[in-house]
Amino acid sequence: MSVENARALIVEDERSWQQILSEILTDAGLVVDLADNLDMALTYLRVHPHRLAVVDLSLEGDDPHNEEGLRVLEALGRHDPGCTKVLLTGYATVELAVSALTDYAAYTCLRKEAFNRSQFRGMVERVLANQ
């Protein structure tokens, strides 16, 4: 699959993060699907394969106990096993990061408070080059 036809899935309930991530992924040549909740994300998984998915941990506003993003990672593993999964969260803990990497086969776990656009661009380039 060429990068021009490749898709990325963003699962994020905050509009500002949707815009930041969409801009970077579109610039990388990906067609971007946006979902702001679990059900919408599951619908996209059934319709298209994705090269990359960036999934927010909490899909219910600022609820630190909501972990619906992990259900999205789990569904990606079942329905789109070739997709590279990235967990994005404002509620990162070491335990969560380890779980995302080991239990859900995420490529990485990014913290929103430490997000760096150029580092994210570099990660996207590496992911696309290695697929």
Side-chain angles (χ1 to χ4, degrees), residues 8-28 30 32 34 52 54 88 110-121 124:
L9 175 64
I10 297 171
V11 185
E12 170 61 67
D13 60 330
E14 292 181 40
R15 184 103 177 102
S16 61
W17 280 102
Q18 289 176 356
Q19 291 173 332
I20 291 166
L21 298 168
S22 291
E23 176 186 310
I24 294 169
L25 295 173
T26 300
D27 286 350
L30 296 163
V32 175
L34 276 174
L52 177 67
V54 181
L88 179 67
L110 301 176
R111 295 182 344 219
K112 287 183 176 181
E113 63 272 13
F115 186 83
N116 177 293
R117 286 175 190 249
S118 63
Q119 288 176 350
F120 183 74
R121 276 190 194 93
V124 170

PDB file of all heavy atoms in Angstrom, residues 8-28 30 32 34 52 54 88 110-121 124:
ATOM      1  N   ALA A   8      -4.998   6.945   8.268  1.00  0.00           N
ATOM      2  CA  ALA A   8      -4.699   7.046   9.695  1.00  0.00           C
ATOM      3  C   ALA A   8      -6.018   7.239  10.426  1.00  0.00           C
ATOM      4  O   ALA A   8      -6.943   7.865   9.892  1.00  0.00           O
ATOM      5  CB  ALA A   8      -3.771   8.216   9.979  1.00  0.00           C
ATOM      6  N   LEU A   9      -6.096   6.714  11.612  1.00  0.00           N
ATOM      7  CA  LEU A   9      -7.278   6.878  12.452  1.00  0.00           C
ATOM      8  C   LEU A   9      -6.878   7.669  13.683  1.00  0.00           C
ATOM      9  O   LEU A   9      -5.921   7.305  14.378  1.00  0.00           O
ATOM     10  CB  LEU A   9      -7.837   5.507  12.863  1.00  0.00           C
ATOM     11  CG  LEU A   9      -9.014   5.515  13.834  1.00  0.00           C
ATOM     12  CD1 LEU A   9     -10.228   6.188  13.208  1.00  0.00           C
ATOM     13  CD2 LEU A   9      -9.350   4.084  14.268  1.00  0.00           C
ATOM     14  N   ILE A  10      -7.599   8.747  13.937  1.00  0.00           N
ATOM     15  CA  ILE A  10      -7.415   9.521  15.160  1.00  0.00           C
ATOM     16  C   ILE A  10      -8.666   9.308  16.005  1.00  0.00           C
ATOM     17  O   ILE A  10      -9.786   9.547  15.541  1.00  0.00           O
ATOM     18  CB  ILE A  10      -7.246  11.027  14.867  1.00  0.00           C
ATOM     19  CG1 ILE A  10      -5.983  11.263  14.041  1.00  0.00           C
ATOM     20  CG2 ILE A  10      -7.213  11.826  16.173  1.00  0.00           C
ATOM     21  CD1 ILE A  10      -5.853  12.685  13.527  1.00  0.00           C
ATOM     22  N   VAL A  11      -8.468   8.841  17.230  1.00  0.00           N
ATOM     23  CA  VAL A  11      -9.582   8.654  18.163  1.00  0.00           C
ATOM     24  C   VAL A  11      -9.306   9.582  19.337  1.00  0.00           C
ATOM     25  O   VAL A  11      -8.485   9.297  20.202  1.00  0.00           O
ATOM     26  CB  VAL A  11      -9.701   7.187  18.628  1.00  0.00           C
ATOM     27  CG1 VAL A  11     -10.948   7.010  19.486  1.00  0.00           C
ATOM     28  CG2 VAL A  11      -9.717   6.244  17.428  1.00  0.00           C
ATOM     29  N   GLU A  12      -9.977  10.724  19.323  1.00  0.00           N
ATOM     30  CA  GLU A  12      -9.696  11.807  20.273  1.00  0.00           C
ATOM     31  C   GLU A  12     -10.953  12.641  20.428  1.00  0.00           C
ATOM     32  O   GLU A  12     -11.562  13.023  19.431  1.00  0.00           O
ATOM     33  CB  GLU A  12      -8.544  12.655  19.720  1.00  0.00           C
ATOM     34  CG  GLU A  12      -8.276  13.940  20.427  1.00  0.00           C
ATOM     35  CD  GLU A  12      -7.895  13.775  21.884  1.00  0.00           C
ATOM     36  OE1 GLU A  12      -6.825  13.226  22.169  1.00  0.00           O
ATOM     37  OE2 GLU A  12      -8.698  14.211  22.746  1.00  0.00           O
ATOM     38  N   ASP A  13     -11.338  12.941  21.664  1.00  0.00           N
ATOM     39  CA  ASP A  13     -12.564  13.708  21.884  1.00  0.00           C
ATOM     40  C   ASP A  13     -12.334  15.214  21.981  1.00  0.00           C
ATOM     41  O   ASP A  13     -13.284  15.978  21.932  1.00  0.00           O
ATOM     42  CB  ASP A  13     -13.312  13.203  23.129  1.00  0.00           C
ATOM     43  CG  ASP A  13     -12.490  13.324  24.402  1.00  0.00           C
ATOM     44  OD1 ASP A  13     -11.240  13.239  24.323  1.00  0.00           O
ATOM     45  OD2 ASP A  13     -13.078  13.489  25.476  1.00  0.00           O
ATOM     46  N   GLU A  14     -11.092  15.650  22.055  1.00  0.00           N
ATOM     47  CA  GLU A  14     -10.809  17.088  22.135  1.00  0.00           C
ATOM     48  C   GLU A  14     -10.504  17.640  20.746  1.00  0.00           C
ATOM     49  O   GLU A  14      -9.585  17.191  20.068  1.00  0.00           O
ATOM     50  CB  GLU A  14      -9.616  17.350  23.056  1.00  0.00           C
ATOM     51  CG  GLU A  14      -9.901  17.045  24.509  1.00  0.00           C
ATOM     52  CD  GLU A  14      -8.704  17.345  25.391  1.00  0.00           C
ATOM     53  OE1 GLU A  14      -8.029  18.376  25.160  1.00  0.00           O
ATOM     54  OE2 GLU A  14      -8.446  16.545  26.300  1.00  0.00           O
ATOM     55  N   ARG A  15     -11.262  18.645  20.359  1.00  0.00           N
ATOM     56  CA  ARG A  15     -11.158  19.229  19.018  1.00  0.00           C
ATOM     57  C   ARG A  15      -9.754  19.762  18.717  1.00  0.00           C
ATOM     58  O   ARG A  15      -9.238  19.582  17.621  1.00  0.00           O
ATOM     59  CB  ARG A  15     -12.200  20.351  18.888  1.00  0.00           C
ATOM     60  CG  ARG A  15     -12.255  20.977  17.531  1.00  0.00           C
ATOM     61  CD  ARG A  15     -13.457  20.474  16.749  1.00  0.00           C
ATOM     62  NE  ARG A  15     -13.536  21.137  15.467  1.00  0.00           N
ATOM     63  CZ  ARG A  15     -13.140  20.560  14.341  1.00  0.00           C
ATOM     64  NH1 ARG A  15     -12.657  19.349  14.358  1.00  0.00           N
ATOM     65  NH2 ARG A  15     -13.242  21.192  13.195  1.00  0.00           N
ATOM     66  N   SER A  16      -9.128  20.419  19.678  1.00  0.00           N
ATOM     67  CA  SER A  16      -7.791  20.989  19.431  1.00  0.00           C
ATOM     68  C   SER A  16      -6.779  19.885  19.123  1.00  0.00           C
ATOM     69  O   SER A  16      -5.942  20.049  18.232  1.00  0.00           O
ATOM     70  CB  SER A  16      -7.329  21.821  20.623  1.00  0.00           C
ATOM     71  OG  SER A  16      -7.248  21.023  21.792  1.00  0.00           O
ATOM     72  N   TRP A  17      -6.860  18.766  19.819  1.00  0.00           N
ATOM     73  CA  TRP A  17      -5.963  17.648  19.539  1.00  0.00           C
ATOM     74  C   TRP A  17      -6.285  17.014  18.200  1.00  0.00           C
ATOM     75  O   TRP A  17      -5.387  16.593  17.464  1.00  0.00           O
ATOM     76  CB  TRP A  17      -6.005  16.610  20.668  1.00  0.00           C
ATOM     77  CG  TRP A  17      -5.164  17.035  21.818  1.00  0.00           C
ATOM     78  CD1 TRP A  17      -5.581  17.572  22.996  1.00  0.00           C
ATOM     79  CD2 TRP A  17      -3.736  17.008  21.895  1.00  0.00           C
ATOM     80  NE1 TRP A  17      -4.516  17.875  23.791  1.00  0.00           N
ATOM     81  CE2 TRP A  17      -3.373  17.528  23.144  1.00  0.00           C
ATOM     82  CE3 TRP A  17      -2.745  16.582  21.026  1.00  0.00           C
ATOM     83  CZ2 TRP A  17      -2.032  17.640  23.541  1.00  0.00           C
ATOM     84  CZ3 TRP A  17      -1.424  16.683  21.418  1.00  0.00           C
ATOM     85  CH2 TRP A  17      -1.077  17.215  22.672  1.00  0.00           C
ATOM     86  N   GLN A  18      -7.555  16.933  17.852  1.00  0.00           N
ATOM     87  CA  GLN A  18      -7.940  16.417  16.530  1.00  0.00           C
ATOM     88  C   GLN A  18      -7.269  17.238  15.436  1.00  0.00           C
ATOM     89  O   GLN A  18      -6.726  16.688  14.468  1.00  0.00           O
ATOM     90  CB  GLN A  18      -9.454  16.473  16.332  1.00  0.00           C
ATOM     91  CG  GLN A  18     -10.240  15.493  17.148  1.00  0.00           C
ATOM     92  CD  GLN A  18     -11.743  15.683  16.963  1.00  0.00           C
ATOM     93  OE1 GLN A  18     -12.195  16.596  16.274  1.00  0.00           O
ATOM     94  NE2 GLN A  18     -12.518  14.818  17.588  1.00  0.00           N
ATOM     95  N   GLN A  19      -7.292  18.560  15.581  1.00  0.00           N
ATOM     96  CA  GLN A  19      -6.726  19.446  14.572  1.00  0.00           C
ATOM     97  C   GLN A  19      -5.206  19.295  14.469  1.00  0.00           C
ATOM     98  O   GLN A  19      -4.654  19.201  13.368  1.00  0.00           O
ATOM     99  CB  GLN A  19      -7.098  20.899  14.873  1.00  0.00           C
ATOM    100  CG  GLN A  19      -8.571  21.167  14.661  1.00  0.00           C
ATOM    101  CD  GLN A  19      -8.984  22.570  15.110  1.00  0.00           C
ATOM    102  OE1 GLN A  19      -8.381  23.155  16.000  1.00  0.00           O
ATOM    103  NE2 GLN A  19     -10.031  23.091  14.491  1.00  0.00           N
ATOM    104  N   ILE A  20      -4.528  19.271  15.607  1.00  0.00           N
ATOM    105  CA  ILE A  20      -3.063  19.135  15.614  1.00  0.00           C
ATOM    106  C   ILE A  20      -2.651  17.825  14.943  1.00  0.00           C
ATOM    107  O   ILE A  20      -1.797  17.802  14.049  1.00  0.00           O
ATOM    108  CB  ILE A  20      -2.519  19.178  17.065  1.00  0.00           C
ATOM    109  CG1 ILE A  20      -2.674  20.579  17.659  1.00  0.00           C
ATOM    110  CG2 ILE A  20      -1.054  18.725  17.111  1.00  0.00           C
ATOM    111  CD1 ILE A  20      -2.475  20.629  19.163  1.00  0.00           C
ATOM    112  N   LEU A  21      -3.253  16.725  15.373  1.00  0.00           N
ATOM    113  CA  LEU A  21      -2.889  15.410  14.851  1.00  0.00           C
ATOM    114  C   LEU A  21      -3.259  15.277  13.380  1.00  0.00           C
ATOM    115  O   LEU A  21      -2.480  14.745  12.582  1.00  0.00           O
ATOM    116  CB  LEU A  21      -3.551  14.312  15.680  1.00  0.00           C
ATOM    117  CG  LEU A  21      -3.135  14.263  17.156  1.00  0.00           C
ATOM    118  CD1 LEU A  21      -4.063  13.342  17.940  1.00  0.00           C
ATOM    119  CD2 LEU A  21      -1.690  13.848  17.304  1.00  0.00           C
ATOM    120  N   SER A  22      -4.445  15.772  13.010  1.00  0.00           N
ATOM    121  CA  SER A  22      -4.883  15.698  11.607  1.00  0.00           C
ATOM    122  C   SER A  22      -3.927  16.433  10.692  1.00  0.00           C
ATOM    123  O   SER A  22      -3.580  15.942   9.614  1.00  0.00           O
ATOM    124  CB  SER A  22      -6.280  16.294  11.438  1.00  0.00           C
ATOM    125  OG  SER A  22      -7.239  15.492  12.043  1.00  0.00           O
ATOM    126  N   GLU A  23      -3.514  17.611  11.102  1.00  0.00           N
ATOM    127  CA  GLU A  23      -2.594  18.412  10.287  1.00  0.00           C
ATOM    128  C   GLU A  23      -1.290  17.657  10.037  1.00  0.00           C
ATOM    129  O   GLU A  23      -0.815  17.556   8.902  1.00  0.00           O
ATOM    130  CB  GLU A  23      -2.308  19.738  10.998  1.00  0.00           C
ATOM    131  CG  GLU A  23      -1.295  20.607  10.313  1.00  0.00           C
ATOM    132  CD  GLU A  23      -0.951  21.826  11.145  1.00  0.00           C
ATOM    133  OE1 GLU A  23      -1.886  22.514  11.597  1.00  0.00           O
ATOM    134  OE2 GLU A  23       0.252  22.073  11.344  1.00  0.00           O
ATOM    135  N   ILE A  24      -0.713  17.089  11.073  1.00  0.00           N
ATOM    136  CA  ILE A  24       0.565  16.389  10.943  1.00  0.00           C
ATOM    137  C   ILE A  24       0.410  15.132  10.084  1.00  0.00           C
ATOM    138  O   ILE A  24       1.236  14.863   9.203  1.00  0.00           O
ATOM    139  CB  ILE A  24       1.136  16.044  12.332  1.00  0.00           C
ATOM    140  CG1 ILE A  24       1.502  17.339  13.068  1.00  0.00           C
ATOM    141  CG2 ILE A  24       2.352  15.121  12.215  1.00  0.00           C
ATOM    142  CD1 ILE A  24       1.817  17.155  14.544  1.00  0.00           C
ATOM    143  N   LEU A  25      -0.651  14.365  10.311  1.00  0.00           N
ATOM    144  CA  LEU A  25      -0.843  13.126   9.565  1.00  0.00           C
ATOM    145  C   LEU A  25      -1.199  13.393   8.102  1.00  0.00           C
ATOM    146  O   LEU A  25      -0.753  12.670   7.206  1.00  0.00           O
ATOM    147  CB  LEU A  25      -1.902  12.257  10.245  1.00  0.00           C
ATOM    148  CG  LEU A  25      -1.496  11.752  11.640  1.00  0.00           C
ATOM    149  CD1 LEU A  25      -2.658  11.044  12.316  1.00  0.00           C
ATOM    150  CD2 LEU A  25      -0.273  10.863  11.571  1.00  0.00           C
ATOM    151  N   THR A  26      -1.972  14.433   7.850  1.00  0.00           N
ATOM    152  CA  THR A  26      -2.302  14.810   6.473  1.00  0.00           C
ATOM    153  C   THR A  26      -1.043  15.262   5.748  1.00  0.00           C
ATOM    154  O   THR A  26      -0.815  14.891   4.594  1.00  0.00           O
ATOM    155  CB  THR A  26      -3.384  15.905   6.455  1.00  0.00           C
ATOM    156  OG1 THR A  26      -4.553  15.412   7.111  1.00  0.00           O
ATOM    157  CG2 THR A  26      -3.745  16.305   5.041  1.00  0.00           C
ATOM    158  N   ASP A  27      -0.210  16.048   6.423  1.00  0.00           N
ATOM    159  CA  ASP A  27       1.061  16.490   5.837  1.00  0.00           C
ATOM    160  C   ASP A  27       1.962  15.301   5.495  1.00  0.00           C
ATOM    161  O   ASP A  27       2.784  15.380   4.575  1.00  0.00           O
ATOM    162  CB  ASP A  27       1.810  17.432   6.782  1.00  0.00           C
ATOM    163  CG  ASP A  27       1.193  18.816   6.855  1.00  0.00           C
ATOM    164  OD1 ASP A  27       0.294  19.129   6.042  1.00  0.00           O
ATOM    165  OD2 ASP A  27       1.596  19.596   7.754  1.00  0.00           O
ATOM    166  N   ALA A  28       1.816  14.189   6.229  1.00  0.00           N
ATOM    167  CA  ALA A  28       2.615  12.990   5.969  1.00  0.00           C
ATOM    168  C   ALA A  28       2.043  12.170   4.816  1.00  0.00           C
ATOM    169  O   ALA A  28       2.596  11.134   4.460  1.00  0.00           O
ATOM    170  CB  ALA A  28       2.696  12.131   7.231  1.00  0.00           C
ATOM    171  N   LEU A  30      -1.188  10.947   4.636  1.00  0.00           N
ATOM    172  CA  LEU A  30      -2.218  10.000   5.043  1.00  0.00           C
ATOM    173  C   LEU A  30      -3.619  10.590   4.908  1.00  0.00           C
ATOM    174  O   LEU A  30      -3.810  11.790   5.122  1.00  0.00           O
ATOM    175  CB  LEU A  30      -1.992   9.578   6.499  1.00  0.00           C
ATOM    176  CG  LEU A  30      -0.699   8.813   6.758  1.00  0.00           C
ATOM    177  CD1 LEU A  30      -0.358   8.801   8.241  1.00  0.00           C
ATOM    178  CD2 LEU A  30      -0.804   7.398   6.228  1.00  0.00           C
ATOM    179  N   VAL A  32      -7.014  10.901   6.690  1.00  0.00           N
ATOM    180  CA  VAL A  32      -7.314  10.827   8.118  1.00  0.00           C
ATOM    181  C   VAL A  32      -8.799  10.599   8.377  1.00  0.00           C
ATOM    182  O   VAL A  32      -9.649  11.317   7.842  1.00  0.00           O
ATOM    183  CB  VAL A  32      -6.845  12.119   8.834  1.00  0.00           C
ATOM    184  CG1 VAL A  32      -7.250  12.110  10.299  1.00  0.00           C
ATOM    185  CG2 VAL A  32      -5.339  12.279   8.692  1.00  0.00           C
ATOM    186  N   LEU A  34     -11.457  10.612  11.525  1.00  0.00           N
ATOM    187  CA  LEU A  34     -11.570  11.164  12.876  1.00  0.00           C
ATOM    188  C   LEU A  34     -12.738  10.536  13.613  1.00  0.00           C
ATOM    189  O   LEU A  34     -13.865  10.539  13.117  1.00  0.00           O
ATOM    190  CB  LEU A  34     -11.833  12.668  12.818  1.00  0.00           C
ATOM    191  CG  LEU A  34     -10.658  13.598  12.670  1.00  0.00           C
ATOM    192  CD1 LEU A  34     -11.140  15.025  12.486  1.00  0.00           C
ATOM    193  CD2 LEU A  34      -9.738  13.514  13.859  1.00  0.00           C
ATOM    194  N   LEU A  52      -1.843   3.667  10.637  1.00  0.00           N
ATOM    195  CA  LEU A  52      -1.495   4.251  11.935  1.00  0.00           C
ATOM    196  C   LEU A  52      -2.760   4.683  12.638  1.00  0.00           C
ATOM    197  O   LEU A  52      -3.670   5.222  12.008  1.00  0.00           O
ATOM    198  CB  LEU A  52      -0.576   5.468  11.710  1.00  0.00           C
ATOM    199  CG  LEU A  52      -0.152   6.274  12.923  1.00  0.00           C
ATOM    200  CD1 LEU A  52       0.769   5.454  13.823  1.00  0.00           C
ATOM    201  CD2 LEU A  52       0.571   7.552  12.483  1.00  0.00           C
ATOM    202  N   VAL A  54      -3.857   6.845  16.229  1.00  0.00           N
ATOM    203  CA  VAL A  54      -3.482   7.606  17.416  1.00  0.00           C
ATOM    204  C   VAL A  54      -4.738   7.665  18.282  1.00  0.00           C
ATOM    205  O   VAL A  54      -5.758   8.217  17.868  1.00  0.00           O
ATOM    206  CB  VAL A  54      -2.995   9.032  17.062  1.00  0.00           C
ATOM    207  CG1 VAL A  54      -2.582   9.772  18.327  1.00  0.00           C
ATOM    208  CG2 VAL A  54      -1.845   8.967  16.059  1.00  0.00           C
ATOM    209  N   LEU A  88      -2.226   8.073  23.221  1.00  0.00           N
ATOM    210  CA  LEU A  88      -1.980   9.471  23.595  1.00  0.00           C
ATOM    211  C   LEU A  88      -2.811   9.745  24.836  1.00  0.00           C
ATOM    212  O   LEU A  88      -4.007   9.435  24.862  1.00  0.00           O
ATOM    213  CB  LEU A  88      -2.417  10.389  22.452  1.00  0.00           C
ATOM    214  CG  LEU A  88      -2.251  11.888  22.655  1.00  0.00           C
ATOM    215  CD1 LEU A  88      -0.771  12.262  22.712  1.00  0.00           C
ATOM    216  CD2 LEU A  88      -2.933  12.645  21.522  1.00  0.00           C
ATOM    217  N   LEU A 110       2.319   8.243  24.288  1.00  0.00           N
ATOM    218  CA  LEU A 110       2.718   9.652  24.336  1.00  0.00           C
ATOM    219  C   LEU A 110       1.908  10.406  25.377  1.00  0.00           C
ATOM    220  O   LEU A 110       0.694  10.219  25.477  1.00  0.00           O
ATOM    221  CB  LEU A 110       2.493  10.300  22.964  1.00  0.00           C
ATOM    222  CG  LEU A 110       3.241   9.687  21.789  1.00  0.00           C
ATOM    223  CD1 LEU A 110       2.827  10.374  20.493  1.00  0.00           C
ATOM    224  CD2 LEU A 110       4.738   9.778  21.993  1.00  0.00           C
ATOM    225  N   ARG A 111       2.586  11.267  26.106  1.00  0.00           N
ATOM    226  CA  ARG A 111       1.904  12.116  27.098  1.00  0.00           C
ATOM    227  C   ARG A 111       1.582  13.456  26.458  1.00  0.00           C
ATOM    228  O   ARG A 111       2.456  14.089  25.866  1.00  0.00           O
ATOM    229  CB  ARG A 111       2.795  12.320  28.315  1.00  0.00           C
ATOM    230  CG  ARG A 111       3.077  11.048  29.081  1.00  0.00           C
ATOM    231  CD  ARG A 111       3.923  11.332  30.304  1.00  0.00           C
ATOM    232  NE  ARG A 111       4.530  12.654  30.206  1.00  0.00           N
ATOM    233  CZ  ARG A 111       5.739  12.954  30.584  1.00  0.00           C
ATOM    234  NH1 ARG A 111       6.524  12.065  31.095  1.00  0.00           N
ATOM    235  NH2 ARG A 111       6.222  14.177  30.457  1.00  0.00           N
ATOM    236  N   LYS A 112       0.350  13.892  26.627  1.00  0.00           N
ATOM    237  CA  LYS A 112      -0.059  15.167  26.024  1.00  0.00           C
ATOM    238  C   LYS A 112       0.778  16.330  26.543  1.00  0.00           C
ATOM    239  O   LYS A 112       1.139  17.226  25.776  1.00  0.00           O
ATOM    240  CB  LYS A 112      -1.545  15.431  26.283  1.00  0.00           C
ATOM    241  CG  LYS A 112      -2.447  14.552  25.456  1.00  0.00           C
ATOM    242  CD  LYS A 112      -3.904  14.899  25.689  1.00  0.00           C
ATOM    243  CE  LYS A 112      -4.794  14.066  24.785  1.00  0.00           C
ATOM    244  NZ  LYS A 112      -6.209  14.394  24.982  1.00  0.00           N
ATOM    245  N   GLU A 113       1.106  16.317  27.820  1.00  0.00           N
ATOM    246  CA  GLU A 113       1.838  17.453  28.396  1.00  0.00           C
ATOM    247  C   GLU A 113       3.274  17.528  27.883  1.00  0.00           C
ATOM    248  O   GLU A 113       3.914  18.574  27.992  1.00  0.00           O
ATOM    249  CB  GLU A 113       1.802  17.422  29.932  1.00  0.00           C
ATOM    250  CG  GLU A 113       2.483  16.230  30.558  1.00  0.00           C
ATOM    251  CD  GLU A 113       1.586  15.007  30.742  1.00  0.00           C
ATOM    252  OE1 GLU A 113       0.469  14.960  30.167  1.00  0.00           O
ATOM    253  OE2 GLU A 113       2.012  14.082  31.452  1.00  0.00           O
ATOM    254  N   ALA A 114       3.777  16.446  27.299  1.00  0.00           N
ATOM    255  CA  ALA A 114       5.144  16.442  26.767  1.00  0.00           C
ATOM    256  C   ALA A 114       5.151  16.332  25.237  1.00  0.00           C
ATOM    257  O   ALA A 114       6.198  16.111  24.641  1.00  0.00           O
ATOM    258  CB  ALA A 114       5.928  15.281  27.375  1.00  0.00           C
ATOM    259  N   PHE A 115       3.989  16.522  24.606  1.00  0.00           N
ATOM    260  CA  PHE A 115       3.875  16.348  23.156  1.00  0.00           C
ATOM    261  C   PHE A 115       4.731  17.366  22.419  1.00  0.00           C
ATOM    262  O   PHE A 115       4.744  18.549  22.741  1.00  0.00           O
ATOM    263  CB  PHE A 115       2.408  16.513  22.732  1.00  0.00           C
ATOM    264  CG  PHE A 115       2.166  16.211  21.276  1.00  0.00           C
ATOM    265  CD1 PHE A 115       1.979  14.917  20.852  1.00  0.00           C
ATOM    266  CD2 PHE A 115       2.121  17.242  20.341  1.00  0.00           C
ATOM    267  CE1 PHE A 115       1.753  14.629  19.508  1.00  0.00           C
ATOM    268  CE2 PHE A 115       1.890  16.971  18.997  1.00  0.00           C
ATOM    269  CZ  PHE A 115       1.700  15.662  18.589  1.00  0.00           C
ATOM    270  N   ASN A 116       5.460  16.872  21.421  1.00  0.00           N
ATOM    271  CA  ASN A 116       6.327  17.717  20.613  1.00  0.00           C
ATOM    272  C   ASN A 116       6.016  17.421  19.144  1.00  0.00           C
ATOM    273  O   ASN A 116       6.173  16.288  18.704  1.00  0.00           O
ATOM    274  CB  ASN A 116       7.789  17.398  20.952  1.00  0.00           C
ATOM    275  CG  ASN A 116       8.766  18.175  20.116  1.00  0.00           C
ATOM    276  OD1 ASN A 116       8.857  17.978  18.906  1.00  0.00           O
ATOM    277  ND2 ASN A 116       9.497  19.063  20.758  1.00  0.00           N
ATOM    278  N   ARG A 117       5.572  18.436  18.411  1.00  0.00           N
ATOM    279  CA  ARG A 117       5.163  18.231  17.015  1.00  0.00           C
ATOM    280  C   ARG A 117       6.263  17.627  16.151  1.00  0.00           C
ATOM    281  O   ARG A 117       6.013  16.712  15.378  1.00  0.00           O
ATOM    282  CB  ARG A 117       4.711  19.560  16.389  1.00  0.00           C
ATOM    283  CG  ARG A 117       3.373  20.030  16.876  1.00  0.00           C
ATOM    284  CD  ARG A 117       3.096  21.410  16.284  1.00  0.00           C
ATOM    285  NE  ARG A 117       1.936  22.018  16.896  1.00  0.00           N
ATOM    286  CZ  ARG A 117       0.791  22.215  16.264  1.00  0.00           C
ATOM    287  NH1 ARG A 117       0.649  21.875  15.015  1.00  0.00           N
ATOM    288  NH2 ARG A 117      -0.220  22.776  16.888  1.00  0.00           N
ATOM    289  N   SER A 118       7.475  18.143  16.255  1.00  0.00           N
ATOM    290  CA  SER A 118       8.544  17.640  15.381  1.00  0.00           C
ATOM    291  C   SER A 118       8.908  16.200  15.743  1.00  0.00           C
ATOM    292  O   SER A 118       9.185  15.385  14.854  1.00  0.00           O
ATOM    293  CB  SER A 118       9.767  18.551  15.399  1.00  0.00           C
ATOM    294  OG  SER A 118      10.333  18.596  16.671  1.00  0.00           O
ATOM    295  N   GLN A 119       8.895  15.855  17.015  1.00  0.00           N
ATOM    296  CA  GLN A 119       9.166  14.466  17.405  1.00  0.00           C
ATOM    297  C   GLN A 119       8.050  13.545  16.907  1.00  0.00           C
ATOM    298  O   GLN A 119       8.314  12.425  16.458  1.00  0.00           O
ATOM    299  CB  GLN A 119       9.312  14.356  18.919  1.00  0.00           C
ATOM    300  CG  GLN A 119      10.593  14.953  19.439  1.00  0.00           C
ATOM    301  CD  GLN A 119      10.698  14.921  20.952  1.00  0.00           C
ATOM    302  OE1 GLN A 119       9.741  14.610  21.654  1.00  0.00           O
ATOM    303  NE2 GLN A 119      11.867  15.269  21.467  1.00  0.00           N
ATOM    304  N   PHE A 120       6.803  14.020  16.977  1.00  0.00           N
ATOM    305  CA  PHE A 120       5.683  13.222  16.483  1.00  0.00           C
ATOM    306  C   PHE A 120       5.803  13.024  14.973  1.00  0.00           C
ATOM    307  O   PHE A 120       5.608  11.911  14.476  1.00  0.00           O
ATOM    308  CB  PHE A 120       4.351  13.896  16.841  1.00  0.00           C
ATOM    309  CG  PHE A 120       3.144  13.091  16.433  1.00  0.00           C
ATOM    310  CD1 PHE A 120       2.777  11.950  17.127  1.00  0.00           C
ATOM    311  CD2 PHE A 120       2.381  13.480  15.347  1.00  0.00           C
ATOM    312  CE1 PHE A 120       1.674  11.202  16.747  1.00  0.00           C
ATOM    313  CE2 PHE A 120       1.271  12.742  14.953  1.00  0.00           C
ATOM    314  CZ  PHE A 120       0.919  11.602  15.661  1.00  0.00           C
ATOM    315  N   ARG A 121       6.155  14.091  14.241  1.00  0.00           N
ATOM    316  CA  ARG A 121       6.366  13.963  12.790  1.00  0.00           C
ATOM    317  C   ARG A 121       7.431  12.911  12.481  1.00  0.00           C
ATOM    318  O   ARG A 121       7.272  12.096  11.585  1.00  0.00           O
ATOM    319  CB  ARG A 121       6.803  15.308  12.189  1.00  0.00           C
ATOM    320  CG  ARG A 121       5.688  16.227  11.855  1.00  0.00           C
ATOM    321  CD  ARG A 121       6.190  17.436  11.046  1.00  0.00           C
ATOM    322  NE  ARG A 121       5.170  18.447  11.032  1.00  0.00           N
ATOM    323  CZ  ARG A 121       5.088  19.452  11.898  1.00  0.00           C
ATOM    324  NH1 ARG A 121       5.994  19.609  12.830  1.00  0.00           N
ATOM    325  NH2 ARG A 121       4.101  20.328  11.815  1.00  0.00           N
ATOM    326  N   VAL A 124       6.042   9.449  12.987  1.00  0.00           N
ATOM    327  CA  VAL A 124       5.155   9.085  11.877  1.00  0.00           C
ATOM    328  C   VAL A 124       5.989   8.673  10.665  1.00  0.00           C
ATOM    329  O   VAL A 124       5.708   7.655  10.024  1.00  0.00           O
ATOM    330  CB  VAL A 124       4.189  10.248  11.529  1.00  0.00           C
ATOM    331  CG1 VAL A 124       3.439   9.979  10.240  1.00  0.00           C
ATOM    332  CG2 VAL A 124       3.214  10.483  12.687  1.00  0.00           C
TER     333      VAL A 124
END
